[in-house]
């Protein structure tokens, strides 16, 4: 069969879909990935075939607009203002961003660009003729194309956040372009999502108001090399540190906690390993001798056998940590990450701290607690076992084949 993927402009958002793409191709099915031009190289490196025809509003701008709206509504939880939606520069007052001017002068062209992206997805789908469409939450083009063609579709979650969470935390965009209505499907709403591929352990209680298709999470954190030392058990408890390369771009410079985390863990009786991009390492400045820096090391090669991990609540970091059964210290700076931190903490496998409260003392004491307290490790182990009981991507392919053929 032919399976069409559509993905957003944020590369880590579709990482959870990559192993499913591999499984479909290994079963002999054709897979094409509709994406923005900015994602074509990354999709190709992942072993999938990109079709760079999508456009519309960039995820960075969409998220900044969302955070500014949260601040206007009084639900932005941090003591600083979110960055300017257009420039990313820190705001000294909310009205420094003229929302009215944006809606009058800039939004119409962005909406038109989004409409063109929807049209491109529908046009390609009509020509290629997929039997099934899979899309990430940030890419509604797949849902629209499937609706127009009358073929089944499923939204693929990237982590513990859901399109059925409260509105200001919802991870699907709104259809500002009116394309769903323009194609005769009516105004878009989350109720249009009929199926959700869910890689989360059931104990996280991720709300899904649709048909749930469980799948075992298989980590894809890129294809960086794994040094030989990662195969050896650490002599001391290993603490892994990873951080978003783009968080400060959307949440502001105060969300860049790497220097504080490294300082907090300096001198800890543990092997501290930081995996980060070269850019982030350079921004850190001098790194204590007690911290090992491993640039672009995939988390899946680092986490097994570790005692704890510190991160920002990103879905890939969270699910890979659950896959490895490692307790997590999560400091969050956005609504989606907040939901993730709260859900993993409620399941007992993490300590969650709102980012502005994560000072050096809180970070260090939290990590020491995760290392010493067996309850969090036991909970992480239970979630790991639970996740391993879900159908593999290969097994899910059989379910999807039946869905595509009306079974």
């Amino acid at each position: 069969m032919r399976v069409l993927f559509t993905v957003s402009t944020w590369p880590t958002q579709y990482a959870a879909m990559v192993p499913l793409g591999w499984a479909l191709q290994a079963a002999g099915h054709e897979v094409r990935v509709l994406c923005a031009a900015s994602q074509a190289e990354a999709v190709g490196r992942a072993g999938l075939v990109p079709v760079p025809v999508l456009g519309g509003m960039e995820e960075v701008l969409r998220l900044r607009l969302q955070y500014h709206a949260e601040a206007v509504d009084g639900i932005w939880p941090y003591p600083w203002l979110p960055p300017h939606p257009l420039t990313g520069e820190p705001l000294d007052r909310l009205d420094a961003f003229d929302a009215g001017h944006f809606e009058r002068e800039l939004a119409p062209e962005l909406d038109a660009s989004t409409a063109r992206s929807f049209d491109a997805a529908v046009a390609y789908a009509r020509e290629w003729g997929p039997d099934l469409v899979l899309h990430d939450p940030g890419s509604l083009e797949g849902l629209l194309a499937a609706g127009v063609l009358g073929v089944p579709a499923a939204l693929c979650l990237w982590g513990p956040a859901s399109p059925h969470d409260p509105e200001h935390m919802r991870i699907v965009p709104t259809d500002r372009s009116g394309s769903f209505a323009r194609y005769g499907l009516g105004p878009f709403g989350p109720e249009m999502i009929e199926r959700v591929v869910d890689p989360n352990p059931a104990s996280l209680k991720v709300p899904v108001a649709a048909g749930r298709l469980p799948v075992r999470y298989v980590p894809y954190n890129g294809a960086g090399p794994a040094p030989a030392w990662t195969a050896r058990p650490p002599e001391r408890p290993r603490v892994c540190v990873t951080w978003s390369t783009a968080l400060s771009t959307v949440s502001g410079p105060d969300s860049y906690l790497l220097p504080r985390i490294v300082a907090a863990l300096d001198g800890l009786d543990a092997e501290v390993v930081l995996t980060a991009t070269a850019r982030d390492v350079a921004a850190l400045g001098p790194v204590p001798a007690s911290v090992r820096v491993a640039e672009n090391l995939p988390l899946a090669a680092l986490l097994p056998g570790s005692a704890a991990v510190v991160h920002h609540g990103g879905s890939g970091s969270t699910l890979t940590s659950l896959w490895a059964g490692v307790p997590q210290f999560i400091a969050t700076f956005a609504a989606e990450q907040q939901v993730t931190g709260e859900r993993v903490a409620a399941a007992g496998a993490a300590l969650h701290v709102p980012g502005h409260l994560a000072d050096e003392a809180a970070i260090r004491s939290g990590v020491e607690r995760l290392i010493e307290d067996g309850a969090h490790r036991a909970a992480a182990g239970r979630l790991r076992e639970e996740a391993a009981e879900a159908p593999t991507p290969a097994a899910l392919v059989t379910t999807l084949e039946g869905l595509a053929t009306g079974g």
Side-chain angles (χ1 to χ4, degrees), residues 242-288:
T242 184
W243 203 252
S244 168
T245 59
L247 182 61
S248 57
T249 304
V250 294
S251 295
D254 291 294
S255 66
Y256 185 64
L257 280 198
L258 264 187
R260 188 182 305 170
I261 294 168
V262 168
L265 300 183
D266 185 21
L268 187 71
D269 186 18
E271 178 191 89
V272 179
V273 182
L274 165 64
T275 176
T277 64
R279 177 182 174 184
D280 280 345
V281 172
L284 268 175
V287 177

Side-chain angles (χ1 to χ4, degrees), residues 9-368:
T9 58
W10 198 282
T12 57
Q13 289 183 342
Y14 56 82
M17 299 173 67
V18 169
L20 182 54
W22 295 339
L24 286 161
Q25 290 179 156
H29 302 301
E30 294 182 73
V31 177
R32 296 290 182 272
V33 182
L34 299 194
C35 62
S38 61
Q39 301 309 311
E41 183 180 354
V43 169
R45 284 200 307 267
L48 304 175
V49 180
V51 181
V53 298
L54 301 187
M57 185 183 293
E58 293 284 333
E59 278 290 285
V60 169
L61 176 56
R62 184 182 74 81
L63 290 170
R64 286 177 182 163
L65 287 168
Q66 177 181 321
Y67 300 160
H68 186 269
E70 288 179 19
V72 171
D73 292 340
I75 57 175
W76 174 254
Y78 308 106
W80 56 83
L81 295 179
H84 192 289
L86 299 179
T87 69
E89 295 298 318
L91 289 174
D92 56 3
R93 64 185 198 282
L94 281 177
D95 60 5
F97 170 64
D98 189 340
H101 177 268
F102 173 83
E103 289 296 331
R104 291 189 306 271
E105 303 298 330
L106 302 178
E109 175 51 35
L110 286 168
D111 295 343
S113 175
T114 299
R116 291 192 292 271
S117 185
F118 280 117
D119 291 343
V122 171
Y124 185 87
R126 281 173 168 162
E127 287 192 15
W128 195 56
D131 303 291
L132 174 71
V133 179
L134 302 174
H135 62 99
D136 75 25
S139 176
L140 296 178
E141 290 93 341
L143 183 64
L144 175 63
V148 171
L149 270 64
V151 300
L155 178 148
C156 298
L157 290 180
W158 56 53
S162 167
H164 302 106
D165 280 319
E167 185 171 358
H168 78 283
M169 297 179 175
R170 197 169 292 159
I171 55 176
V172 293
T174 56
D175 176 23
R176 292 175 50 105
S177 72
S179 293
F180 280 79
R182 182 161 52 88
Y183 278 95
L185 301 181
F188 168 74
E191 69 280 355
M192 289 184 173
I193 300 166
E194 296 182 352
R195 303 169 193 87
V196 171
V197 175
D198 185 4
N200 296 287
S203 293
L204 295 190
K205 297 182 172 61
V206 177
V208 173
R212 191 190 303 264
L213 301 173
V215 67
R216 184 183 307 175
Y217 176 73
V218 174
Y220 173 71
N221 318 124
W229 58 262
T230 60
R232 298 190 294 269
E235 296 179 0
R236 294 183 296 164
R238 176 177 292 162
V239 177
C240 303
V241 178
T242 184
W243 203 252
S244 168
T245 59
L247 182 61
S248 57
T249 304
V250 294
S251 295
D254 291 294
S255 66
Y256 185 64
L257 280 198
L258 264 187
R260 188 182 305 170
I261 294 168
V262 168
L265 300 183
D266 185 21
L268 187 71
D269 186 18
E271 178 191 89
V272 179
V273 182
L274 165 64
T275 176
T277 64
R279 177 182 174 184
D280 280 345
V281 172
L284 268 175
V287 177
S290 61
V291 176
R292 184 199 294 264
V293 176
E295 289 183 16
N296 298 323
L297 175 60
L299 272 180
L302 179 61
L303 282 177
S306 296
V309 58
V310 182
H311 63 85
H312 68 292
S315 295
S317 301
T318 300
L319 289 184
T320 304
S321 300
L322 291 173
W323 166 83
V326 178
Q328 308 174 47
F329 183 92
I330 305 176
T332 57
F333 289 94
E336 177 195 338
Q337 287 79 28
Q338 176 188 335
V339 167
T340 294
E342 289 174 349
R343 287 186 175 139
V344 181
L351 296 175
H352 169 240
V353 179
H356 62 292
L357 302 179
D359 57 21
E360 288 188 23
I363 295 167
R364 188 179 183 95
S365 64
V367 171
E368 289 175 336

